[in-house]
Every structure is written in C-alpha cells, then in structure tokens.
Amino acid sequence: MILLQLAWLGWLLAFPVALDSDDALNFAHGVTRFSVLEFAPHFPGYPAFIWLARLINLAVDELARAVQWASLLGTALLAPLAALLAVRLWQRPSLLAPVWLLVLALPLTPTLALSGLSDGPALAAWLGALLALQQRRIALAGLLLGLLLALRPSYFVLALLPLWLGMAHKGTRFRFVLPIALVGLISLLFVWQADGWAYFSEGRRFTDGHFTLWGNTAAAHGDRLLSWAHTFNEQLTPLWPLAVAALLVLPLWPRSKDHAATLSSLWTLYWLALLLWTLFGQNPDNPRHLAPITLLGIVLLAGWLPRRGEGLATVAGLLLLTATFTLPRPPAMAQAAMLAEKTCPALVTQWGVRLLRETTALAVTDGWYQGDARLALKQGACRLSRRPIAASEMPTAVDQHWFAPRFAAEPGLWLAIPSPVTGNGANNKQHRNGAKLTQTIQRQGNNSVTLTAHP
C-alpha cells in the first residue's frame, strides 16, 4: 500500500503546476505578503497553510508550486489516515487495504491534491486528531486539532467531535486544551500583526457576503438544495441515498449483529451535523466541499463490509483507482486562458476573474456586473463559463470550446468566441431575433469540443 501511495504521489507530481482559481491565487499572494484585507489570502486567513507554503517556498522559488505542493503533501495523508482510523474504530485490520484504496480512488482526492487550497492538509489534521484520540494520545490530538483550525478555520464544525472526545478525558483535559490554545494564540498574533482590528471587520463583511450575496449557499437560496442533489449524483452516483440511509441506522447495526466494536451514536449525529452544514453553508458548485462527509462516511460504512467481502472491495478499489487515472495535463482554466489569449480581444467571466487578470494580457470583465458584461460582449469580447452558453446570452453567433476537467470533481469550462461568419449586420440581427441555429460539432484532440452556431 505504501508503494502504491508513492506511485500515486509521483503521478500527481507529473501534472503541470498551474493555479486554476482565485482562491489558490490568493494563497500564493499570501506566501509573500500576508494580509486578509488585500485578499492574500481571503478571510479567515488560513495561517497554518501559509506557514506550510512558506516552508516549502524555501526549497522552491515558484509561488504556485509552493501552494500546490502544500496541498498535495497534505492530501497524500488522507488515504492512510482514513484507513488507520477505520481499523482502529472497528477493530478490523483487514479494513486497511479496501478503505485506503477507496479514498485514493475518489475523484475528490486528486482534485484536492492539485487545487492549491487548504482542504487537503486540514482534512489530514482532522483525521489525525480523531486517530490520536482513539489511541489516547491526548496532547498530539490537541495539537492536530489546533492545526486543523489554523489550516482552515471554516472547518470549525469538523472540530466538534474531536473536541467532545478530548474533553471527555477528565484527567488529561489540560494536556488536550493547551496545544489548541497555543496554536490559536500564535495564529491570532499572526493575523493581528498584518491587519489589526480591521481583520474582524473584514471577517464580518466576508461572512455576511458568503451567506447572503455571492456564496451560493442554500441558507440564502433554497433552490441550491437541488444543485446539491445534482452534485451528489455526479460525485457519488445516484445510489448515494442508500449510503445516507445506512449511515443513519448505523448505531443500531452493531447491537443487532453482536459486533465486537460498538459504535457510539455520537458518530452518526456528528456525520449528520456535517451533512447539514455542507448542504446549507457551502456552495454546491464546488464538489470539494463534499470531502469531509465522504471521508467520514467511508470510515463509518467500512464496518458494514462483510469479512468475506473485503477482498472484493479491495479489487473494486483498484479498478476504481485505474478509472481515475488520466494523463497529466494543465487544468481547464489554464487551457482556456491559453486559447483566449490567442483568439480573444477581451474576456467576460465570473470564474477566476483575478487569476485571469494577473496571468493573462486580456482585459477581463467580471460577469457579476451585468451591464459591464453586456457592453464588453457587444464590443466582441469572448465569454468563459462553467455552463454551456446559450445563444441568447451572446449578441452574435459564437464558436463554443469545451475544456474537459482532469477529474470528475473539477469543473469543466466553456469558452464562447465570436464567430467570424457573422460579420454583417443582417446576420447579427437575424441571430438576435432568435433564428434557428444549427450546430456543427468538431473534435479537437481529447480535451475540447467546438460548437459552431450559424444563424
């Protein structure tokens, strides 16, 4: 398993280093100058991830490589930690290989590894804290829990169960709380020296915006729950309701089967709290937010696996892992940016606005400002979107290029380039009036599809 893990790590290291989101760019800025007010990175600052990226930056000069390697090294620990936690929780050493392989085979895992974000290292600290508590290493558990909150403070919900389990050890509470307090104090001093009291004002503004304006959460927009159903179907197959039902009745199963390890109902309540937080507090457009409930769900459901089925689950994990394999290539955002620079005078997009402005020579208009976007499109700008671009959204006919994601948990992108066949005013007017369109699909390599619309 260790050799397979190293091969998996080497495969991901072969991918080109490229940032593919504004959040990853913000982390790269934070490596050289930390300031939440300057979005380097954005609130809440993620101090421990910045420290890790700065440490790696001592060995590599490229900022993008520093944040991507920080994410990759943290994510590489997820599979072994989840497998060890399942073994310890269920007292079944034979669960090591199937759980390890299933976590590696998740499309979420390589996505987290190459994202340049703090999710992977924070999840590794979370699993490590739970494992340390199972082994009664209280001080280590406290240190890892403090690092979890410093790596990704928005994962505070994940800290509830390890905090509860740690405080249950009455004789060792001080050894558990002290590392958490020390890491928290160091993190507070780190963000304070950069922004002072303004850090808290920015936090209030950022949190309000996330839940009301641009966060796309179900807390502000109830219809986003339907988007979550679509995301679950794509990432976990349409059978995911069966897994959810199994997790909810999990506390009854060990008692009825007289299993050696009895799982406390606290674990199921904890998983349910994570599920509700994900559904109402996170953006369904980003499948990486499914990682906490997916990892914990695999660990908990591993106990349902019959002993005779462990070999079959191992083989299934290997097959799923081979299905995840893809040849190393840049992310869809990098591919779209390269084509846009060659063919577009300007660009309108809602995704990666800051990244494109800093990494390309194009004039980039933020698609959230609809008046500016319409003006730029009328002047011949291209349009970049995560969804197919309808003809009614463009003032002229366009050639649409599809850039496929590297993994199922990454977004693909559509780039609409104004078509040269609609240069005269009559054709443009006919297109705007909703004339029937025919589409010619042309394959370009393995990663893109061009749709040419003719009025």
Side-chain angles (χ1 to χ4, degrees):
M1 294 307 301
I2 293 175
L3 290 176
L4 181 61
Q5 179 75 35
L6 292 175
W8 180 86
L9 183 61
W11 166 58
L12 291 181
L13 285 172
F15 279 77
V17 175
L19 303 177
D20 66 343
S21 68
D22 282 349
D23 290 344
L25 179 67
N26 294 340
F27 280 122
H29 284 308
V31 174
T32 53
R33 173 179 167 80
F34 178 87
S35 174
V36 170
L37 298 181
E38 299 175 14
F39 271 54
H42 57 73
F43 183 84
Y46 313 89
F49 186 77
I50 295 297
W51 302 337
L52 178 60
R54 286 183 175 181
L55 184 63
I56 296 175
N57 194 43
L58 296 177
V60 298
D61 294 332
E62 191 178 354
L63 295 178
R65 189 179 300 275
V67 295
Q68 184 166 307
W69 281 14
S71 183
L72 176 57
L73 293 178
T75 306
L77 298 174
L78 295 182
L81 287 174
L84 291 172
L85 179 60
V87 168
R88 189 74 180 185
L89 195 61
W90 294 106
Q91 299 298 310
R92 288 171 61 181
S94 54
L95 291 177
L96 182 72
V99 173
W100 195 320
L101 287 169
L102 286 174
V103 174
L104 281 185
L106 286 174
L108 281 169
T109 310
T111 299
L112 294 177
L114 299 179
S115 65
L117 304 177
S118 63
D119 302 66
L123 290 169
W126 173 56
L127 293 174
L130 290 172
L131 181 60
L133 286 168
Q134 295 299 309
Q135 298 173 338
R136 297 188 180 279
R137 298 181 180 180
I138 304 302
L140 176 61
L143 176 62
L144 291 172
L145 188 56
L147 288 174
L148 160 66
L149 296 174
L151 282 162
R152 194 169 180 83
S154 56
Y155 271 178
F156 68 93
V157 178
L158 274 67
L160 295 178
L161 180 62
L163 187 61
W164 179 277
L165 295 175
M167 296 300 290
H169 298 278
K170 295 182 179 180
T172 56
R173 285 178 179 174
F174 180 76
R175 288 195 293 129
F176 178 68
V177 173
L178 181 60
I180 302 175
L182 289 177
V183 175
L185 179 61
I186 294 171
S187 300
L188 179 61
L189 292 176
F190 181 71
V191 299
W192 179 270
Q193 56 84 28
D195 297 317
W197 283 107
Y199 172 82
F200 300 100
S201 300
E202 169 61 15
R204 183 170 59 251
R205 183 203 67 81
F206 187 92
T207 304
D208 289 344
H210 174 76
F211 285 103
T212 59
L213 185 60
W214 44 262
N216 288 330
T217 63
H221 312 283
D223 58 345
R224 300 299 284 166
L225 289 175
L226 296 177
S227 299
W228 270 121
H230 179 69
T231 302
F232 271 87
N233 287 340
E234 285 191 337
Q235 302 301 318
L236 304 175
T237 77
L239 299 177
W240 62 267
L242 297 178
V244 172
L247 283 165
L248 294 179
V249 301
L250 186 61
L252 304 177
W253 178 73
R255 297 183 181 89
S256 63
K257 296 293 184 179
D258 193 25
H259 197 272
T262 301
L263 191 68
S264 169
S265 58
L266 185 64
W267 287 82
T268 301
L269 292 175
Y270 177 56
W271 184 87
L272 183 60
L274 293 183
L275 175 64
L276 293 176
W277 164 251
T278 302
L279 294 179
F280 289 96
Q282 302 296 340
N283 184 357
D285 290 334
N286 296 324
R288 59 186 174 86
H289 293 310
L290 289 177
I293 60 173
T294 303
L295 291 174
L296 185 59
I298 289 175
V299 170
L300 297 182
L301 287 175
W304 284 73
L305 190 65
R307 294 186 183 275
R308 293 183 179 180
E310 291 165 352
L312 181 61
T314 301
V315 174
L318 282 172
L319 293 176
L320 289 173
L321 184 58
T322 57
T324 307
F325 179 80
T326 182
L327 292 176
R329 64 178 188 267
M333 177 64 77
Q335 297 180 53
M338 287 189 291
L339 180 60
E341 275 200 295
K342 296 177 182 178
T343 57
C344 299
L347 192 63
V348 174
T349 181
Q350 292 174 238
W351 313 102
V353 176
R354 187 180 184 188
L355 176 67
L356 291 167
R357 284 174 176 170
E358 295 193 18
T359 57
T360 70
L362 294 170
V364 180
T365 299
D366 191 341
W368 287 108
Y369 300 96
Q370 298 181 9
D372 293 347
R374 286 193 295 268
L375 180 60
L377 292 174
K378 288 180 179 179
Q379 294 175 347
C382 300
R383 175 73 182 271
L384 184 66
S385 175
R386 286 190 181 182
R387 298 175 180 84
I389 301 165
S392 59
E393 299 180 44
M394 301 295 292
T396 64
V398 294
D399 296 339
Q400 292 200 42
H401 297 258
W402 161 248
F403 298 92
R406 297 172 295 185
F407 313 105
E410 284 187 344
L413 290 173
W414 292 88
L415 178 65
I417 302 175
S419 176
V421 301
T422 57
N424 60 74
N427 282 345
N428 286 341
K429 181 177 180 181
Q430 185 181 10
H431 176 82
R432 287 194 297 270
N433 289 337
K436 185 176 180 180
L437 301 178
T438 61
Q439 294 180 326
T440 304
I441 301 178
Q442 175 186 358
R443 291 281 178 183
Q444 293 186 344
N446 294 325
N447 302 327
S448 66
V449 177
T450 302
L451 291 87
T452 305
H454 302 285

